[in-house]
Amino acid sequence: MTSALSRSARRIISSNLTRTVRLQSIWTPDNVVKSPYKDVDIPNRTIIEHVWENLARWPDKTATICGLTNRSYTYHQLFKYSRNLASQLRSKLGITDGDVICTMMNNSPEYVLAVLGILSSGAELTTVNPIYTAHEVYRQLLLSRPKVMIGSTDTVNVIKESLKMANMDIPVICVTTSGGLPAHTISFQELTGDADHDVLKDVKITADDVAILPYSSGTTGLPKGVELTNKNVVVNCVQSDVDGVKQYRDTTSSHQESMIAVLPFYHIYGLSIIMLHKLSVGAKIVTLPKFQPNTFLSTLKNHKISLLYVVPPMAYVDQIVCGAAPLPKLDIDRLLDKSKIDVNFIQLYGLTETSPLVTTMVPGTKNYLTAGVAIPNTELRIVDSEMKTLGPNEVGELHIRGPQVMKGYRNNFEATRNAIDENGWFKSGDLASLDQNGTITISDRLKELIKVKGFQVPPAELESVLKEHPSVLDAGVVGVPDTRTGEAPIAFIVLNDGHKADVHGIKEFVATRVAEFKRLKDVVFLENLPKNPSGKLLRRILKEKYA
């Protein structure tokens, strides 16, 4: 997943919580735009140290609770049980500093516990979408080489199958909330029981060590491991605490923000902004395994939700952060027209590679097509195809520099060198412009990822699957507008000689090999595909000519 907020996220907050913030970004003589906010001190601590820094202020407040079953942990319990898990991971399963542990499950209080336990053990966390097929999981396993997998009863079979495909024999820990423990798995609940914490004295992880390893699919279709250090994530949390950027009210003896976590924790948006940052400020995280209207609405009511992070189809209530895909202005206007209170609509921008937050609109802004200004310690610039830095209102590729920019791509020097230059500028792959005040407008994306319901679908991945079909000689995939999903993939196929066109058969072939959101909307048969002289597929031509 290349984009944390998938190029943009939006937030609605009630007017009585907004403040008038008048800021002016600084254009330097070399056309670099600096943040209008005062720089924050960059903390030299790990994610775990940051999350628990203020534990003494709210030990008995609920940290996380299941919106369906009310299964919950207080902050003190979460601290205790996560340390138990960390100790058991090291003493019983042999985890050492820098090992990778992979999670594959839907949102739950135990997911929160697992993440904190993994990080406390000194291991790196990598996450997998729980609706992935074994083939998709297998690819990530080969790249990340985890020492342990943590799943649930509804994902453990896929985990086992993917491990078999990868020829890996590693422990599988299973979270069970009802029913028995699946064969050949280790009980998550037993590992969170009482344990000797002395072994945690051996953890020597520092702020500069990698903590989170999300996998980001590029236009090549090959996932890249994004190395986010403890410092990357922690500084992004601190940047998010500054007035004007801040999206929450402080936890006190009489107030605690309550928020639904229905956006998946395997996604950097859910993991960093919703889970880790909100734990660090003492909020209550109400988990839902998936979005279902009835349970979603009942959870809103039963848990008195005050802060809501959503994707575009879910935009309701009075405090909302909406991410994972752009929400059209027409939908924004409809939402605001239906609101019974005066609200502000705030758009954010970020990416997986930036931990994720980069820019935010100032409360009170009415220009809903912009994504605001750079957050503290962050610089922006726009460059043309010849890498010349452009001035105000000129469109080019957005480059970002700041302490939240990733360390690099795991074991991929070439991709890292292409993404981050020698001066620390990260190339976003997005077309954008900056106005005189440093306000950013995202115009388009240079990358060709297809956005389906907020999920990113790499065209080359589907092309690779299609070429495994015995009838397919060549294939090209592009995204087309879809009223229900935003975009949908459509395949252009060149058949092998003597083979017949079979739209249904090819769609079914792909459907058995990929997650539901990656399935093809349609198949079109062509005699040949447009390519440049070096043989590179010209998806732009496909889109313009046929889609």
Side-chain angles (χ1 to χ4, degrees):
M1 184 197 71
T2 317
S3 166
L5 309 182
S6 295
R7 308 299 174 253
S8 61
R10 300 169 174 83
R11 177 186 176 228
I12 297 169
I13 56 176
S14 58
S15 58
N16 63 344
L17 290 178
T18 64
R19 302 178 182 181
T20 300
V21 183
R22 298 188 181 279
L23 300 167
Q24 185 170 358
S25 297
I26 303 170
W27 279 87
T28 67
D30 54 354
N31 283 341
V32 170
V33 171
K34 293 181 175 291
S35 172
Y37 298 100
K38 182 181 178 181
D39 281 355
V40 299
D41 292 332
I42 300 174
N44 188 35
R45 55 177 175 263
T46 66
I47 294 171
I48 288 300
E49 290 169 338
H50 186 70
V51 166
W52 299 130
E53 183 183 26
N54 292 307
L55 174 63
R57 293 172 52 187
W58 42 69
D60 299 321
K61 289 189 180 293
T62 300
T64 181
I65 183 170
C66 175
L68 301 181
T69 68
N70 288 327
R71 194 173 67 255
S72 68
Y73 300 95
T74 65
Y75 271 88
H76 173 72
Q77 290 172 327
L78 197 60
F79 175 74
K80 175 184 176 181
Y81 297 147
S82 64
R83 284 171 58 80
N84 288 346
L85 175 60
S87 300
Q88 301 274 34
L89 287 171
R90 290 187 75 98
S91 61
K92 290 188 175 181
L93 299 182
I95 290 299
T96 59
D97 290 357
D99 285 343
V100 175
I101 297 179
C102 179
T103 57
M104 183 182 180
M105 51 187 163
N106 289 306
N107 288 11
S108 68
E110 287 71 30
Y111 203 142
V112 180
L113 176 51
V115 168
L116 297 177
I118 290 167
L119 296 178
S120 297
S121 76
E124 297 174 7
L125 167 70
T126 192
T127 60
V128 173
N129 188 332
I131 65 173
Y132 268 6
T133 65
H135 186 268
E136 291 166 308
V137 179
Y138 147 80
R139 293 177 64 198
Q140 186 166 326
L141 294 182
L142 291 181
L143 293 168
S144 62
R145 309 303 300 185
K147 296 293 181 67
V148 172
M149 294 281 291
I150 302 180
S152 55
T153 51
D154 53 352
T155 64
V156 72
N157 287 337
V158 173
I159 290 174
K160 289 180 178 179
E161 185 180 351
S162 63
L163 287 171
K164 185 177 180 180
M165 293 173 66
N167 195 28
M168 295 174 65
D169 183 16
I170 61 174
V172 177
I173 300 170
C174 185
V175 174
T176 56
T177 55
S178 62
L181 184 69
H184 309 297
T185 64
I186 301 168
S187 169
F188 178 84
Q189 280 74 7
E190 288 185 10
L191 291 180
T192 59
D194 290 341
D196 184 352
H197 297 161
D198 281 349
V199 68
L200 297 184
K201 295 177 182 178
D202 297 330
V203 176
K204 305 299 182 184
I205 295 299
T206 71
D208 293 318
D209 289 319
V210 174
I212 299 175
L213 188 67
Y215 272 77
S216 173
S217 296
T219 55
T220 63
L222 299 175
K224 299 190 293 290
V226 178
E227 294 184 319
L228 298 179
T229 67
N230 283 278
K231 186 176 291 184
N232 289 152
V233 177
V234 171
V235 75
N236 207 228
C237 289
V238 175
Q239 290 167 318
S240 302
D241 292 334
V242 172
D243 284 345
V245 180
K246 191 173 179 179
Q247 301 167 2
Y248 64 91
R249 289 177 290 173
D250 293 332
T251 301
T252 65
S253 59
S254 59
H255 175 76
Q256 182 188 28
E257 294 280 27
S258 179
M259 53 185 295
I260 291 182
V262 67
L263 299 185
F265 291 146
Y266 71 79
H267 188 292
I268 191 65
Y269 185 13
L271 178 63
S272 184
I273 289 182
I274 297 177
M275 183 201 296
L276 295 173
H277 177 247
K278 295 310 177 292
L279 287 173
S280 74
V281 298
K284 179 171 73 172
I285 301 171
V286 184
T287 66
L288 285 176
K290 61 182 67 175
F291 177 72
Q292 295 176 316
N294 289 341
T295 55
F296 179 78
L297 292 174
S298 64
T299 302
L300 279 177
K301 177 182 178 182
N302 295 338
H303 291 274
K304 296 181 172 60
I305 299 301
S306 59
L307 182 60
L308 179 61
Y309 288 81
V310 298
V311 289
M314 297 161 52
Y316 296 100
V317 309
D318 75 323
Q319 288 193 74
I320 303 177
V321 179
C322 177
L327 189 62
K329 186 176 185 301
L330 177 61
D331 290 343
I332 300 172
D333 292 338
R334 287 174 177 169
L335 175 61
L336 297 178
D337 287 344
K338 290 182 178 180
S339 175
K340 295 181 180 179
I341 59 174
D342 184 23
V343 299
N344 287 300
F345 196 93
I346 297 178
Q347 177 168 262
L348 315 176
Y349 170 85
L351 309 93
T352 302
E353 288 90 341
T354 57
S355 306
L357 192 59
V358 175
T359 71
T360 176
M361 286 170 60
V362 176
T365 304
K366 299 297 183 182
N367 187 355
Y368 304 130
L369 297 181
T370 71
V373 296
I375 63 175
N377 306 67
T378 303
E379 297 174 294
L380 308 175
R381 71 177 184 184
I382 304 295
V383 302
D384 63 15
S385 59
E386 297 179 353
M387 299 302 291
K388 175 187 175 184
T389 305
L390 304 177
N393 302 311
E394 294 185 283
V395 176
E397 183 181 14
L398 171 66
H399 288 190
I400 302 155
R401 185 163 64 183
Q404 71 269 47
V405 171
M406 67 172 180
K407 179 179 180 180
Y409 294 115
R410 174 64 52 91
N411 298 327
N412 198 331
F413 173 79
E414 190 67 21
T416 301
R417 187 179 65 176
N418 290 336
I420 305 175
D421 72 14
E422 64 275 11
N423 295 313
W425 286 102
F426 171 69
K427 305 169 187 177
S428 73
D430 287 323
L431 287 172
S433 62
L434 293 160
D435 69 13
Q436 293 284 358
N437 295 321
T439 300
I440 190 169
T441 299
I442 306 297
S443 304
D444 204 344
R445 55 185 183 271
L446 295 173
K447 301 174 184 179
E448 298 171 327
L449 294 172
I450 303 166
K451 306 301 286 297
V452 181
K453 290 184 176 179
F455 294 110
Q456 295 188 344
V457 180
E461 180 184 353
L462 290 177
E463 290 160 3
S464 177
V465 172
L466 283 163
K467 290 173 185 177
E468 296 175 6
H469 192 286
S471 297
V472 176
L473 174 65
D474 204 358
V477 175
V478 300
V480 295
D482 185 277
T483 55
R484 186 175 63 88
T485 62
E487 282 189 303
I490 181 171
F492 296 90
I493 302 295
V494 177
L495 291 171
N496 280 308
D497 290 342
H499 288 255
K500 294 183 178 180
D502 180 6
V503 172
H504 178 74
I506 288 176
K507 290 172 70 174
E508 283 297 306
F509 179 85
V510 173
T512 61
R513 287 163 172 76
V514 300
E516 183 177 359
F517 67 87
K518 297 181 183 178
R519 293 176 185 175
L520 298 174
K521 178 179 183 178
D522 201 3
V523 176
V524 177
F525 296 94
L526 301 175
E527 290 189 4
N528 52 68
L529 300 179
K531 297 185 178 182
N532 69 9
S534 66
K536 181 180 179 181
L537 177 65
L538 299 175
R539 295 195 184 91
R540 176 180 55 83
I541 301 299
L542 271 180
K543 203 165 188 175
E544 291 174 355
K545 190 172 181 179
Y546 300 106

